[in-house]
Amino acid sequence: METLRERKKRRTRESLLRAALELFTSQGYERTTVDEIAAACEVSQRTFFRYFAGKEDAAFAVQEMTEAHFLAALRARPPHEAPMEALRQAALQDWDSIRETVESAVPMELYLRMYRTIESTPALLAAHLRRSTAVEESLARLLAEREGVDVDTDPRPRLAVAVFGGVIRVTERQWCLGRDFSLEAVRSLTVSYLDQVSSALQGNWRAN
Amino acid sequence: METLRERKKRRTRESLLRAALELFTSQGYERTTVDEIAAACEVSQRTFFRYFAGKEDAAFAVQEMTEAHFLAALRARPPHEAPMEALRQAALQDWDSIRETVESAVPMELYLRMYRTIESTPALLAAHLRRSTAVEESLARLLAEREGVDVDTDPRPRLAVAVFGGVIRVTERQWCLGRDFSLEAVRSLTVSYLDQVSSALQGNWRAN
DNA sequence: TTGTCAACTGTCAGTGGCTGTCACTAGTCT
DNA sequence: AGACTAGTGACAGCCACTGACAGTTGACAA
């Protein structure tokens, strides 16, 4: 059972996270100070730093959950699937079931707004890309294990994941730039872009 | 002709840049303060910020030159080359002729050490990845123009560049991790990895 | 219930990156 | 030589972040 102390702690964290994302998305990440976030929750600035390693950490708290969610999705793919197919299916399945994961922390709508804020804030975009490479390292190891190859001598796991990651990044970016900012939109964009990779890689585009 | 004032300015900048990279690579980026860099050049901290937008800006001053160098290399490729082939050739040619570009600012050896520092410092790696996406955007536009397609409606330029960028990133990373930290090493790694992409993308790796 | 302990929090002081301001020095130009 | 102005240093201040210390409050046993 959850003790009173734990409950209070959880509430404080949730309150801080929510206030942070609300402020980041409404007035911008840089224009939001940690003091402001703490004040909104009626705690001291010091307390904020006891719950989050930094301002940036708060911005990515939900992302961290979805990253783990995607890794689990890949782990759950049947072992007979080819690497790229497994990645593709994991991504699609991920978008289909992400809502529950996200809403255990904040409203889905806030998460989506934060996604856009990350993409349009240079400092956050940089952090996002670095986090992505960390996830990609895990993905590569997972694929290598699935296929029974050594990730340190065979570059194919990392290459496959890097290519996949590149396509996902393009997808994310176009999604955030577009008008239709729904889950269905990102899902279909993912399918469309993954399907066009081989066409993009080979030959002359003019010849179609 | 270069006036005395301009000469002094250039010298100050060169001095600051060199001192910065020397300190970053020897004692670490985070453990180096701007005050330290300024003191090493006998100028005030304020002056450092008149030459560089920030500490990070100094760390990437040479990278910025090599980025432009690569873009120029791609622009110089004959228009009949297929997109991926042009990217590949530009990359190889880039590594072959990078020395002159770099040494107009700092010794090659310092540049290479800084490269490793960037890769192993989380904050710098993040910034590096963000810068890379900016370069990739330029590359995509360049390819689109070459091929006569519209970069805003046809995703293939961005996809091709993202895939290419992903491979280059893997290359950079493995290069920095490896023992052979020479230009020849990165060149041959580039060739090797680009050659293995199609193999990595399709089918079952075990069947090989 | 009460006293003790440990967890949680606030306050304060300090560091480092970064910016605005202002006065002053030193090239530049006529 | 004198006026102009780019470049600089000194100073004050903001914000992210950290360490140290003390006060408060929930947990748990006697």
Side-chain angles (χ1 to χ4, degrees):
Chain A
M1 180 207 129
E2 196 185 33
T3 156
L4 171 58
R5 206 170 242 173
E6 290 168 329
R7 219 177 315 155
K8 271 191 148 182
K9 244 182 108 170
R10 197 172 46 76
R11 284 216 191 108
T12 306
R13 199 192 133 88
E14 266 175 25
S15 167
L16 280 169
L17 178 55
R18 210 171 167 129
L21 298 195
E22 209 74 64
L23 288 167
F24 292 162
T25 55
S26 62
Q27 61 182 11
Y29 176 73
E30 333 253 31
R31 275 183 301 283
T32 302
T33 67
V34 174
D35 285 310
E36 226 172 331
I37 302 169
C41 302
E42 299 186 309
V43 296
S44 73
Q45 190 220 47
R46 197 70 186 81
T47 295
F48 173 89
F49 284 108
R50 289 200 175 94
Y51 283 93
F52 299 98
K55 200 172 135 178
E56 193 184 282
D57 191 41
F60 286 101
V62 188
Q63 300 288 323
E64 197 169 342
M65 298 168 59
T66 63
E67 285 161 13
H69 186 256
F70 177 70
L71 252 122
L74 181 62
R75 236 185 296 267
R77 297 307 308 169
H80 60 79
E81 269 180 344
M84 288 306 284
E85 183 59 19
L87 286 171
R88 177 201 180 99
Q89 294 302 331
L92 295 182
Q93 181 184 319
D94 188 49
W95 284 121
D96 288 338
S97 63
I98 209 169
R99 177 163 235 117
E100 296 82 60
T101 309
V102 168
E103 299 216 312
S104 70
V106 297
M108 189 67 190
E109 183 259 347
L110 188 52
Y111 167 73
L112 292 177
R113 265 162 52 207
M114 193 60 217
Y115 212 113
R116 285 190 118 144
T117 305
I118 289 173
E119 201 80 23
S120 62
T121 307
L124 290 182
L125 178 57
H128 175 60
L129 294 170
R130 195 199 52 205
R131 298 176 64 87
S132 298
T133 65
V135 173
E136 284 178 24
E137 178 65 19
S138 304
L139 293 177
R141 291 181 183 280
L142 211 59
L143 282 191
E145 203 183 337
R146 272 171 65 104
E147 299 291 311
V149 301
D150 180 9
V151 75
D152 290 319
T153 57
D154 190 337
R156 289 178 302 176
R158 288 209 177 90
L159 287 173
V161 169
V163 168
F164 178 79
V167 176
I168 294 298
R169 254 186 30 231
V170 174
T171 309
E172 284 174 339
R173 193 166 175 286
Q174 295 306 111
W175 179 43
C176 287
L177 258 52
R179 289 161 231 65
D180 187 358
F181 199 59
S182 64
L183 283 175
E184 297 74 44
V186 72
R187 198 187 188 287
S188 65
L189 255 188
T190 305
V191 173
S192 160
Y193 283 1
L194 282 173
D195 283 342
Q196 288 183 76
V197 170
S198 59
S199 154
L201 292 188
Q202 66 203 23
N204 192 311
W205 299 335
R206 283 164 284 199
N208 238 356
Chain B
M1 182 208 125
E2 196 186 33
T3 156
L4 171 58
R5 207 173 242 170
E6 290 168 328
R7 218 178 314 156
K8 272 191 145 181
K9 242 182 112 171
R10 197 172 45 77
R11 285 218 190 106
T12 306
R13 197 193 136 88
E14 267 175 26
S15 168
L16 281 169
L17 178 55
R18 210 169 166 133
L21 297 195
E22 209 74 64
L23 288 167
F24 291 163
T25 54
S26 61
Q27 60 183 9
Y29 176 73
E30 331 252 34
R31 276 183 301 284
T32 303
T33 67
V34 175
D35 285 311
E36 229 172 329
I37 302 169
C41 303
E42 298 185 306
V43 296
S44 73
Q45 190 219 48
R46 196 66 187 85
T47 294
F48 173 90
F49 285 108
R50 289 201 176 94
Y51 282 93
F52 299 97
K55 201 172 135 178
E56 192 183 285
D57 191 40
F60 286 102
V62 187
Q63 300 288 324
E64 196 169 344
M65 297 168 61
T66 62
E67 286 161 12
H69 186 255
F70 178 70
L71 248 115
L74 180 62
R75 236 185 296 268
R77 296 306 309 168
H80 60 80
E81 270 181 343
M84 288 305 283
E85 183 59 18
L87 286 170
R88 178 200 180 100
Q89 294 302 331
L92 295 182
Q93 182 184 318
D94 187 50
W95 284 120
D96 289 338
S97 64
I98 210 170
R99 175 162 236 118
E100 297 81 62
T101 309
V102 168
E103 299 215 312
S104 70
V106 295
M108 189 67 191
E109 182 259 346
L110 188 53
Y111 168 73
L112 292 177
R113 266 162 52 207
M114 193 61 216
Y115 212 113
R116 285 191 118 143
T117 304
I118 289 173
E119 201 79 23
S120 61
T121 306
L124 290 182
L125 178 57
H128 175 60
L129 294 170
R130 195 200 50 203
R131 297 176 64 87
S132 299
T133 65
V135 173
E136 285 178 24
E137 177 66 19
S138 303
L139 293 177
R141 290 182 183 280
L142 211 57
L143 283 192
E145 202 182 338
R146 270 172 66 105
E147 299 292 311
V149 302
D150 180 8
V151 76
D152 289 318
T153 57
D154 191 337
R156 290 177 302 175
R158 288 210 176 89
L159 287 173
V161 169
V163 168
F164 178 80
V167 177
I168 294 298
R169 254 186 30 230
V170 174
T171 308
E172 284 174 339
R173 191 165 177 286
Q174 294 307 111
W175 179 44
C176 287
L177 257 51
R179 288 162 232 66
D180 186 358
F181 199 60
S182 64
L183 282 176
E184 296 75 45
V186 72
R187 199 186 187 285
S188 65
L189 256 187
T190 305
V191 173
S192 160
Y193 283 2
L194 281 173
D195 283 342
Q196 290 184 73
V197 170
S198 60
S199 155
L201 291 188
Q202 67 204 23
N204 193 310
W205 300 334
R206 282 164 286 197
N208 237 347

